[in-house]
Amino acid sequence: MDPIHHCPTCGGPVDPLQATGPDGGCPRLHCRLRARERTEREIAERTARRTATALRGLRERQLDPPDDEWALVPHNDATEVALDASLAADFRRHLARVIAEAGRGPHTGGPPAADASIDHSGGARESERIALARACATCRGRCCRRGGAHAFLDASSIARVRGRQPEWTDEELTAAYLEHLRPTHLEGGCLFQGPAGCRLPQSLRSDTCNRWWCPDLETARARWAEGEGSPSTTTFIAVPVDD
């Protein structure tokens, strides 16, 4: 039997599957608003702690850059470990499944149509793309830790790859991914995650990996859009997120 969860605001019962969401899972509007206020306050407090840590580090190095010339990024301190055979086997099963799903697709007579000119920059301009790549390298891929044995690949991502390489058979598509597996990866992370970053070429990465920015980078992009600093002059400082 699932444990009973209660709303921290009103004390009423909450669906355990919804209890971990940002609004606490309570159906009452007042409670949902209060839960979101708590979440926003916790994020602001966490950001303030990380900012203070970054400022201490700058002062220790006798640096005092203007506020618009540096930005926070998370930090992944995982070490390189041997790739477990079971993780690789799980990925092969996952890849076979999503390739089959992509092959069925919404269209009859072949795989679904895909955009062969997909924008791998997540909507960022070229100058931003270069700066954000620097930021991800500084972080060492904290968000990639969730990639596990699936690397965020789904049928939509495979359909896009298929659209760019329509001549590939299922076996050739599978081989295109497996050739990038290495005997090691970063502990607890995606099986393609190495010390220098993702081992997959960008064209084979999932749509999530190509289009998603973490909250820190979204904040930096918003600042640039408002004219506060620029991608070419921003220094990224890695400070762990205490989650």
Side-chain angles (χ1 to χ4, degrees):
M1 179 180 296
D2 291 331
I4 298 176
H5 292 262
H6 296 278
C7 171
T9 300
C10 70
V14 174
D15 181 344
L17 296 178
Q18 303 295 325
T20 59
D23 55 14
C26 186
R28 299 166 185 81
L29 178 60
H30 170 72
C31 298
R32 295 167 73 91
L33 291 175
R34 289 289 300 276
R36 289 193 176 273
E37 288 173 0
R38 283 195 300 272
T39 298
E40 291 172 359
R41 184 168 59 251
E42 289 168 0
I43 291 173
E45 291 171 351
R46 185 164 62 239
T47 300
R49 290 194 297 270
R50 295 176 65 223
T51 299
T53 298
L55 288 172
R56 283 196 301 273
L58 288 169
R59 294 192 187 104
E60 288 171 1
R61 288 182 285 168
Q62 298 183 336
L63 298 174
D64 187 22
D67 288 345
D68 62 1
E69 290 188 2
W70 66 276
L72 290 171
V73 291
H75 180 59
N76 179 18
D77 60 0
T79 57
E80 192 173 13
V81 296
L83 178 63
D84 192 282
S86 64
L87 192 67
D90 287 345
F91 174 72
R92 289 185 177 89
R93 285 190 289 271
H94 174 76
L95 183 62
R97 183 170 61 253
V98 294
I99 286 176
E101 290 175 7
R104 290 192 293 271
H107 306 290
T108 58
D115 180 7
S117 60
I118 186 171
D119 175 14
H120 292 294
S121 66
R125 300 188 308 272
E126 180 66 10
S127 60
E128 288 187 10
R129 186 190 65 78
I130 294 171
L132 294 170
R134 268 193 299 115
C136 291
T138 301
C139 166
R140 297 181 76 243
R142 181 178 180 274
C143 60
C144 305
R145 297 184 309 176
R146 299 176 182 269
H150 54 72
F152 299 103
L153 288 167
D154 57 13
S156 175
S157 300
I158 295 298
R160 185 250 305 159
V161 175
R162 266 261 156 81
R164 298 174 67 87
Q165 303 288 348
E167 74 282 4
W168 281 358
T169 64
D170 287 358
E171 292 74 19
E172 289 171 327
L173 180 55
T174 299
Y177 280 95
L178 296 185
E179 72 172 302
H180 295 288
L181 285 179
R182 297 293 182 270
T184 63
H185 74 132
L186 290 191
E187 185 174 17
C190 175
L191 76 173
F192 289 106
Q193 187 180 9
C198 183
R199 288 165 171 154
L200 284 175
Q202 202 164 38
S203 60
L204 292 181
R205 296 176 194 173
S206 76
D207 293 341
T208 297
C209 298
N210 283 326
R211 295 175 174 172
W212 188 81
W213 303 118
C214 72
D216 280 346
L217 296 188
E218 288 289 10
T219 297
R221 294 183 69 197
R223 283 171 45 184
W224 296 334
E226 294 171 0
E228 298 179 18
S230 70
S232 61
T233 62
T234 298
T235 296
F236 294 97
I237 301 175
V239 179
V241 177
D242 50 348
D243 49 7

